[in-house]
Amino acid sequence: MSTSPSLQLICPHCAAINRVPESRLTDAPVCGKCKALLLDGKVVNASDANFNRYIQQSGLPVLVDFWAPWCGPCRSFAPVYSELAAEMPTHVSFLKLDTEANQNTAAQRQIRSIPTLILFHDGREVARLSGALPKEQFKNWLNQQLATL
């Protein structure tokens, strides 16, 4: 009997680590701890407290939008980011990190302008983009980055 390789997924609701066979990602897997959907297509609000858990433990690539509430381009880009998160829930985990409220993580990641998008894979930064893009350009950029993983 062959088994499908599995991925670790971090629950967006309780941050529990779940192991899910890759072949079951499209079957609406739920968290073993809190029973919430693991891949609900929503953006997760990260913090200094849980950021490293998502980056280091996720089997999926993780895209983080470093933003601030006072940033106009950040606010105008937010709907684009959310739309793409809803379109790609089994391909990428989408996180947002408020750089004003989570200054330690922003400093560790050397965020100098916002919005800044960083794609992580296996705990490592693999791509960085500063500035907001229209949806199609953003989607193309992300797909190009994912194709190299």
Side-chain angles (χ1 to χ4, degrees):
M1 179 175 142
S2 68
T3 59
S4 171
S6 62
L7 291 176
Q8 280 190 168
L9 299 177
I10 311 303
C11 179
H13 305 281
C14 73
I17 297 173
N18 293 264
R19 196 164 278 292
V20 177
E22 284 183 37
S23 62
R24 305 286 314 258
L25 290 178
T26 58
D27 295 343
V30 296
C31 177
K33 183 177 178 184
C34 74
K35 307 302 181 213
L37 281 176
L38 291 172
L39 302 170
D40 61 5
K42 295 183 178 145
V43 175
V44 175
N45 288 312
S47 67
D48 285 343
N50 66 17
F51 180 82
N52 285 330
R53 182 176 188 89
Y54 282 102
I55 299 310
Q56 295 170 358
Q57 302 292 322
S58 177
L60 290 176
V62 179
L63 184 63
V64 183
D65 177 10
F66 291 87
W67 71 288
W70 51 262
C71 169
C74 297
R75 289 195 318 270
S76 65
F77 181 67
V80 170
Y81 193 73
S82 293
E83 285 174 28
L84 207 53
E87 292 176 19
M88 303 179 74
T90 61
H91 302 286
V92 181
S93 294
F94 287 76
L95 275 64
K96 287 181 84 74
L97 185 107
D98 178 346
T99 58
E100 292 292 304
N102 300 282
Q103 294 181 11
N104 289 337
T105 300
Q108 288 170 353
R109 297 298 168 176
Q110 299 177 342
I111 303 303
R112 304 212 188 318
S113 64
I114 51 175
T116 292
L117 301 168
I118 301 179
L119 182 64
F120 295 89
H121 183 61
D122 293 333
R124 295 179 301 107
E125 179 178 331
V126 294
R128 184 181 285 231
L129 175 71
S130 293
L133 294 175
K135 183 179 178 185
E136 284 309 309
Q137 285 181 295
F138 173 46
K139 187 174 185 176
N140 288 340
W141 175 84
L142 181 55
N143 284 327
Q144 287 173 355
Q145 305 312 313
L146 294 175
T148 66
L149 301 181

